[in-house]
Amino acid sequence: MKCSKRRTQKQPVRPSRREMPLLYPSAEQGLTSEQARALLAAGWGNEAVASPAKSDKQIVRENVFTYFNLIFVVLAACLLLVGDIWDMSFLLLAAANTAIGIGQQLRSKRTIEKLTVLTASSADVIRDGEKQRIPVDRLVREDVVEFGSGAQIPADGTILSGQVQVNEGLVTGEADAITKKAGDGLLSGSFVISGRCRARLDRVGADSYAAKLTLAAKKESAPAKSEMMRSLDRLIRFIGVALIPIGIALFYNQFVIQDLGLRQSVVSMVAALVGMIPEGLYFLTSVALAVSVARMARNRTLIHEMNAIETLARVDVLCVDKTGTITRPEMEVREVVPLDVEAYPQQDIADILGSFYQVMEADNDTARALAEKFPRGLGWRAEAVIPFTSATKWSAVSFANHGTFAVGAPESILGKDFAPLEKRCRYFAEKGCRVLLLAQCDGAAEGRLDGLILPVALLVLENPVRPDAIKTFAYFASQGVAVKVISGDNPVTVSAVAAQAGIDGAGDWVDARELKTDQDIARAVQKYTVFGRVVPGQKRKIVRALQSAGHIAAMTGDGVNDVLALKDADCGIAMASGADAACQAAQLVLLDSDFSALPKVVAEGRRVINNIQRSSALYLVKNILSFFLAIITLFADFPYPFVPMQLTLISALTIGIPSFFLALEPNHDLIRGKFMLNVLRRACPGGLTDILVILFAELFVFTLELTLGELTTICVILMAANGLTVLYYVARPLDLKRGLLLGTMCGAMLVALLTMGGLFSLSPLSFPGLLVMIVLVMLVVPCNMYLERLFDAVSRVLLRRRESRERRRSARSSFDQTDPER
């Protein structure tokens, strides 16, 4: 079944609704095309309540009308009032950041829209008596829609014919399967586990249950942000709040206390505030994420939630299913092993299976393989059909005058009587085959088989390991990502397949039926790699147990039994060839259903987050200096040593231009620790070096009675030297491209300082001033090196303490789980 995607296009505006009479279409005929067109024109269509994508106007508005752009405009107006037009050059940098941000986000939006048009969500609708597939947003009230296994319900409706089992866990929180028959209601947002039905849509669009929940959620809270974006928001809020009082106090200090005059006081205040604003940091982050989403889209990977990029970069445990992930999704019947040849010869077994799959819908890979192998039945009349569920792990059909037959997991069908067949099943399981049992019994009802159960035959199926699976799992092992294989299959089978794929610890398996409590599961995730005979609720608990143990867990899946685990995982990854509901629940969809593409996706996530961390450090060096220098200036009899034009030069050559190049560099290291702590660790040595050398410069200048122009020149040169030194540390390890970038920025800075001094308000230095500048420039690199080593040592100590705390916490947790009474 083709997977549906969340639409990221701008939705059409829903017309105001006109009253239309109810038509009560039949399950066989549905609406006519004319009736559907009339209902759509009258506003009774199933349009989404709100588009998750931003419109072009929103993108432009959000990039132009920002708090910091407003501050820039106010500061420019202050300079204009005192006649200093030249120092308004920071507006050019702000405009460039805004234009680049708008351009890249619009470009990424176009890429996603093109991809989404090709993969829009659709449904099977009955119109004019014929079944046709149309986009879900073209459905109308009273459309008759046919739902099968894996389908997600797009609107509230009533079943007209057929029977299904649905899971409403995504909308009600109740994870148990619910049987729905003719006359029962279906909730939008729920999904079909098994069976097939035709239902009439009664409440569409904004009237549906899921739409009302969505609207309520939108009113109560905004979409959750990643740890990185939350950290940036907090930083920007802090700076935004601090700017105004610091600016007012600094102007008062310069104008009233130091009596520097109106023009000089305004210029100094503006320079300090411009230096405190990380003007390109938020834009850089947004652009880098937008470019990353577009790159993934071009590689046939669709991102539903931007947070998934950062989460992927931090994943340290990957939970995978066997079928469709480690192996190819297509299954083949390897052999049929009769268990009582006299009572059930081969031909009788073929007739039974042919008749079984004439009436049982083949809604999963195993059933489809058996239906293709045994296409001819005897036309027996079915009295009852019980579809397969992940909870029972069998399906059954009761035939008039021929008895009841069941197909499913041998241990689930036979229960305590499985022991005589265990050895024969294990023989095939150890070869990586899936073993099912065909059995006859007296009767069947939902969840149970009645009477005497007679084993008829073992059905041995196989699906080969993907040829690129070994390479894929080797990549994750090399990146420190543990793999957990979670499957409904026999654990011996799953273990054998995992070993063929080269998964570390494939021999450490457990039968999930032995895991009775949450404590059992919590212990098992620490000990085992392979989990067999897992039911959907246990998949969810396994993911939660990993998260409780401090892991960042990603989950891959393609079936309805994966939906709840996909939703709970830190990052849910669905295969596009899988169930609609799985793709709707996931944050990321592999459109080619190719698991081997996942290493590229993880590498892209790590690249963008690592590079944002690296580039953010460049911005914060200047912000740390400007913030603390402004505070020091308030309490010391020193003028602020910079003018805005000088900070624009330093920002462009040591921060702005390098950061955009570095943000696109390969960088696939596993991300550890908190975003802001990592950034501060990189930025603090450079920021503190700036503060120290500039304070020394001010002391020397006033001791030697040098001019304010000389102080400004010395401070600009020191800040430039330190900025380039920080750029070197951030760009390590240097390769040809990064070396060329560093060399170009050094050359450009040298040319600007030597040939355009007048342009940037630089003054000639006297001999004492020259000596001060040389001595302090020579201190920049040693000071940076010492502080780098100091912060490295502190980081190692803090890391050891954190690891020690985590080990103690893990030990306490294990002890508590061993003794539930605690």
Side-chain angles (χ1 to χ4, degrees), residues 441-692:
C441 59
D442 294 338
E446 277 188 33
R448 74 176 194 275
L449 299 173
D450 299 327
L452 180 66
I453 300 174
L454 299 175
V456 175
L458 293 179
L459 312 176
V460 183
L461 300 95
E462 62 182 357
N463 49 343
V465 172
R466 290 180 182 267
D468 43 24
I470 294 177
K471 182 179 177 182
T472 302
F473 287 113
Y475 166 82
F476 286 115
S478 70
Q479 296 296 310
V481 178
V483 175
K484 303 288 184 183
V485 185
I486 306 173
S487 175
D489 259 353
N490 185 307
V492 178
T493 300
V494 183
S495 175
V497 171
Q500 293 172 28
I503 295 174
D504 291 342
D508 300 325
W509 58 266
V510 65
D511 190 324
R513 292 173 301 175
E514 300 172 4
L515 307 177
K516 305 296 186 183
T517 66
D518 291 350
Q519 288 81 9
D520 291 339
I521 292 174
R523 286 192 294 271
V525 298
Q526 303 290 344
K527 183 177 179 181
Y528 299 106
T529 298
V530 173
F531 296 78
R533 294 301 181 214
V534 179
V535 297
Q538 285 180 313
K539 285 191 177 185
R540 191 180 199 181
K541 289 180 179 180
I542 289 170
V543 169
R544 288 178 174 177
L546 288 167
Q547 292 168 329
S548 297
H551 294 289
I552 307 296
M555 172 80 192
T556 67
D558 59 359
V560 291
N561 58 328
D562 299 318
V563 170
L564 299 178
L566 287 170
K567 195 70 176 175
D568 282 355
D570 295 295
C571 183
I573 304 165
M575 306 292 174
S577 59
D580 287 354
C583 296
Q584 291 284 356
Q587 294 171 303
L588 183 152
V589 181
L590 302 178
L591 296 177
D592 292 329
S593 301
D594 183 4
F595 179 69
S596 65
L598 200 53
K600 290 182 181 178
V601 176
V602 173
E604 174 64 20
R606 290 185 177 179
R607 182 196 66 77
V608 68
I609 303 303
N610 274 316
N611 286 337
I612 287 174
Q613 284 190 167
R614 184 161 62 178
S615 300
S616 297
L618 295 175
Y619 286 93
L620 288 192
V621 168
K622 185 193 73 168
N623 302 142
I624 290 170
L625 166 66
S626 297
F627 180 78
F628 284 103
L629 195 57
I631 298 297
I632 291 168
T633 302
L634 291 177
F635 299 99
D637 194 20
F638 295 148
Y640 195 81
F642 299 107
V643 297
M645 186 65 180
Q646 295 162 348
L647 293 178
T648 300
L649 169 68
I650 292 168
S651 294
L653 297 184
T654 66
I655 302 172
I657 296 172
S659 66
F660 276 98
F661 281 100
L662 291 175
L664 303 177
E665 281 284 285
N667 190 333
H668 303 151
D669 297 334
L670 178 62
I671 296 174
R672 301 182 186 279
K674 298 290 186 180
F675 173 81
M676 190 51 65
L677 292 178
N678 291 342
V679 172
L680 288 174
R681 156 65 193 87
R682 289 173 177 263
C684 280
L688 293 176
T689 298
D690 258 339
I691 293 169
L692 288 172

Side-chain angles (χ1 to χ4, degrees), residues 11-205:
Q11 299 293 335
V13 177
R14 181 166 61 88
S16 56
R17 285 178 173 174
R18 299 197 312 271
E19 287 297 324
M20 296 287 285
L22 294 175
L23 302 170
Y24 302 105
S26 68
E28 295 75 25
Q29 290 297 315
L31 296 174
T32 66
S33 297
E34 271 190 32
Q35 289 170 335
R37 279 194 296 270
L39 284 164
L40 191 63
W44 292 99
N46 193 46
E47 292 94 351
V49 293
S51 170
K54 296 176 182 177
S55 67
D56 291 357
K57 288 182 179 179
Q58 281 179 298
I59 290 173
V60 173
R61 185 169 61 248
E62 289 180 8
N63 280 273
V64 172
F65 299 107
T66 68
Y67 176 73
F68 286 131
N69 280 353
L70 174 62
I71 294 292
F72 281 136
V73 171
V74 171
L75 295 179
C78 292
L79 291 174
L80 191 62
L81 289 173
V82 297
D84 190 352
I85 298 176
W86 188 244
D87 277 320
M88 292 165 56
S89 57
F90 59 83
L91 285 179
L92 297 176
L93 195 59
N97 280 326
T98 301
I100 292 170
I102 292 171
Q104 286 290 1
Q105 288 183 45
L106 288 176
R107 183 182 173 192
S108 297
K109 180 173 179 280
R110 300 286 182 268
T111 303
I112 297 298
E113 284 177 347
K114 289 176 184 176
L115 194 62
T116 309
V117 167
L118 300 175
T119 56
S121 188
S122 56
D124 291 325
V125 65
I126 310 301
R127 287 185 183 171
D128 299 315
E130 296 181 357
K131 185 163 69 174
Q132 49 188 285
R133 197 160 183 83
I134 66 171
V136 294
D137 60 1
R138 304 299 293 176
L139 295 171
V140 297
R141 188 190 69 182
E142 291 197 284
D143 252 331
V144 175
V145 182
E146 185 170 292
F147 298 114
S149 176
Q152 189 153 31
I153 312 299
D156 298 348
T158 303
I159 296 179
L160 300 178
S161 64
Q163 176 178 315
V164 290
Q165 279 196 322
V166 299
N167 187 302
E168 297 177 348
L170 295 180
V171 286
T172 67
E174 296 294 332
D176 294 334
I178 303 170
T179 300
K180 302 276 189 174
K181 302 175 182 178
D184 291 338
L186 295 174
L187 287 179
S188 55
S190 59
F191 57 92
V192 178
I193 300 172
S194 62
R196 184 166 290 274
C197 73
R198 289 188 178 183
R200 182 188 66 240
L201 303 184
D202 299 324
R203 289 178 294 278
V204 295

